[in-house]
Amino acid sequence: MEGSSPAAALRELLRRGAAGARGLDELTRRLWRRRDQLRRRHRLDGTLQEARRLLDRALDRERAALAGDDGEDARFRELRLDALPPDTGRAVNDLADYDWRSGEARDDYAEIQRMLGQQVMEQRFQGMRDALRRSGPGEANRIRRMLADLNDLLTAHARGDADTPRRFERFLRKHGEFFPEKPRDVEELVDLLAARAAAAQRLANSLTPEQREELATLTQQAFGDPRLAGELGRLDALLRQLRPDHDWTGQAHFRGRQPLGLAEATAALAELGELDALVDQLGQAYPGASLEDVDREALARHLGPEAVADLRRLAELDRELRERGLVERAPDGELRLTPRALRRLGENALRDVVDRLRTRRGDRAADRAGAAGEPTGASRPWEFGDSEPWDPVRTVGNAVLRRAATGGGPLLTVDDVEVVETEQRSRAAVALCVDTSWSMVQDGRWVPMKRTALALHHLVRTRYRSDALRLITFGRRASVVDIGELTSLEGVWEQGTNLHHALLLAGRHLRRHPQALPVVLVVTDGEPTAHLEADAEPVFAYPPLPETLAVTLREVDHLARLGARVTVFMLGEDPRLAAFVDLLARRAGGRVVAPTVDGLGAAVVADYLRHRRPPR
């Protein structure tokens, strides 16, 4: 209740971890560490470096072969080699039609084309490596036909053609060796391809403009067939159209020393994307978030099975809270506490209040017994907060029957106790006005204020059901709230203590119950610094304006004319506040109580019970 909503409180519990499970924060930290290790270890220009190495070796071997030839053709070839651009991609393209004298140099150049083709295909098609190793001299044509057929299939799928499933089956029969993942339908095929294509695009985005241009030029020589680059460009456009939700614009900065080829670099970018997705899933910050959204297979790949076990325990905790009826999801998707949870919180708060009341001298005076009304002749089990006298006959009888049934045990237990049922003499209309200005959060009074409201609410709901309790919060404005809203209320930086508005709402509540005993309880830590104008707009000023004090006291006078008993619970030691509440109490015929923060709940409940005593 420290200023968080139920959803935020549950997220905090899951973030920290519980029941022997590491929390989401720890799992996220390990994912970020894995992400950082990838970026620190590798660099993305491995393919460019390898192409440069092979090209330099080919040129050295070619120059060595030409050096032994004194003919003009050899000199012309040397001039052509010397005039090559420094850019690796453009140099490789310029040599596409060069007739190599050195067989070894020719092999090196062919290796560049083959290496580029293999890297480009492995970059886009996971599992392509084995298919490429088995391919023969016609591999470029075979791959180009596969890409053309794939683009035709995806084009038909994008159009919504009815025969797409049949096309897909024919495509897999013809080119299934390129897809060892064995996709079951076109959608699954698109998912496989789009994830890799998006990672390839993020790789390109992560390179410098010069490296990006050089790589684009080099890929024109993949397998020595420029048409492959065209088919790949067409494929990327289709995948981007079919999966626009993928990350096509991201990038990553790698600063390590270990170079990665295109395929390995794309896999690293895909892994980074998967890590980022897991971080988002574990963050649970999006609407309707659930731990069931977390990709457990991906989590196991990156952090191992023990991380999945931790997540499973957290999910069980989350699910148990819901199954026990303590939290529920509202129609707007937000989590909220259920009435059962509020009762549990109220019981705990009231139990603490009763414990404090018992330790206060004078609070258990004999004249308090039976304060709720006259005996009806019946009895009922004792509950926290009961002030009725015990029924000794029923209590002893319960103890005897219990011991006879169990064969022993304590002479008397709490469960044995029954109290005399009483009939209420009168009902009360109670307005509890609580200050929700930022100072209540700042000075550690937020949770005690909420626990006080919970305790009083639970006491009224269980023991004084005919009483009409209204909860009113006041900051810059005042509002009527239910107990669930108050419990989950988040602290907001807002200046203003509009007691005037709160008392207006309290007066409306009392007027709706003219036959009830009017009671107003005010919990505040600051003098009034805001009031409502005639147009219902709040006006704030510090120090308080004379108008603010005047309209607030005028509303106090209205309450006094209704016969309301006003008690102000003053938190803190502000002399200006003390002077004002003393004046307020005199005007309303009420009183001022200055409890400690820990004793606030006991003070409020005791004052309520004092008002509920029968007249003497």
Side-chain angles (χ1 to χ4, degrees), residues 279-597:
V279 168
D280 288 342
Q281 293 162 13
L282 292 175
Q284 297 283 287
Y286 49 92
S290 166
L291 292 184
E292 301 304 323
D293 301 338
V294 180
D295 186 339
R296 299 190 181 190
E297 291 184 2
L299 188 65
R301 280 197 299 273
H302 296 295
L303 298 185
E306 70 280 359
V308 176
D310 289 333
L311 180 68
R312 187 178 296 111
R313 282 193 287 271
L314 292 175
E316 288 171 355
L317 172 63
D318 184 14
R319 186 165 53 252
E320 186 174 358
L321 286 171
R322 289 175 170 82
E323 290 176 351
R324 288 192 178 187
L326 300 179
V327 293
E328 63 185 2
R329 195 168 295 281
D332 60 1
E334 284 295 317
L335 282 182
R336 65 185 180 191
L337 295 176
T338 63
R340 180 178 182 183
L342 292 172
R343 285 196 301 273
R344 289 278 296 277
L345 288 172
E347 288 171 2
N348 292 336
L350 185 57
R351 183 182 299 113
D352 292 343
V353 166
V354 171
D355 289 343
R356 286 187 174 276
L357 286 173
R358 285 174 174 165
T359 61
R360 290 168 47 171
R361 287 184 297 176
D363 278 346
R364 291 300 297 170
D367 62 358
R368 294 195 58 194
E374 296 297 331
T376 64
S379 65
R380 56 175 178 75
W382 175 85
E383 296 178 359
F384 282 110
D386 285 340
S387 57
E388 292 84 356
W390 286 14
D391 184 326
V393 175
R394 299 286 179 85
T395 298
V396 173
N398 290 340
V400 171
L401 292 173
R402 174 182 53 77
R403 286 171 55 82
T406 60
L411 293 177
L412 190 68
T413 69
V414 171
D415 294 334
D416 299 328
V417 177
E418 292 205 19
V419 295
V420 175
E421 183 69 80
T422 59
E423 188 174 62
Q424 281 186 283
R425 292 173 176 268
S426 63
R427 59 190 300 268
V430 184
L432 175 62
C433 306
V434 292
D435 188 345
T436 55
S437 59
W438 180 251
S439 60
M440 293 286 286
V441 179
Q442 179 177 276
D443 296 332
R445 297 159 183 157
W446 193 252
V447 174
M449 175 270 290
K450 288 186 177 183
R451 291 184 64 82
T452 297
L454 274 166
L456 182 61
H457 178 268
H458 189 71
L459 178 61
V460 171
R461 286 287 302 272
T462 57
R463 295 299 306 120
Y464 300 97
R465 296 182 180 89
S466 64
D467 283 3
L469 173 64
R470 176 61 52 90
L471 301 176
I472 300 170
T473 63
F474 61 98
R476 180 70 66 94
R477 289 179 177 273
S479 300
V480 174
V481 298
D482 62 32
I483 190 61
E485 291 173 315
L486 180 59
T487 303
S488 61
L489 187 66
E490 299 187 43
V492 178
W493 168 251
E494 180 182 64
Q495 289 180 307
T497 304
N498 199 335
L499 180 59
H500 168 239
H501 193 188
L503 296 179
L504 273 172
L505 297 178
R508 292 177 191 172
H509 175 58
L510 301 185
R511 292 185 186 95
R512 290 192 185 99
H513 305 277
Q515 305 304 317
L517 175 70
V519 178
V520 178
L521 310 174
V522 178
V523 176
T524 185
D525 68 347
E527 59 187 319
T529 56
H531 69 275
L532 286 187
E533 291 284 0
D535 59 0
E537 286 300 314
V539 173
F540 164 77
Y542 185 84
L545 297 172
E547 295 91 328
T548 299
L549 299 178
V551 296
T552 303
L553 289 174
R554 187 165 64 242
E555 199 57 39
V556 171
D557 293 340
H558 292 161
L559 293 175
R561 284 195 290 273
L562 292 174
R565 305 177 184 183
V566 180
T567 303
V568 180
F569 299 88
M570 184 183 71
L571 301 176
E573 300 177 353
D574 182 1
R576 294 173 62 97
L577 172 62
F580 175 78
V581 297
D582 283 342
L583 175 61
L584 184 154
R586 288 197 301 272
R587 294 278 285 263
R591 68 180 191 137
V592 177
V593 179
T596 63
V597 171

Side-chain angles (χ1 to χ4, degrees), residues 125-131 134 172 175-183 188-189 192:
F125 299 91
Q126 190 172 6
M128 180 72 84
R129 184 185 302 271
D130 292 338
R134 293 193 299 269
L172 274 194
H175 304 293
E177 63 179 312
F178 292 105
F179 303 94
E181 303 94 341
K182 293 181 172 53
E188 192 169 317
L189 175 63
L192 290 170

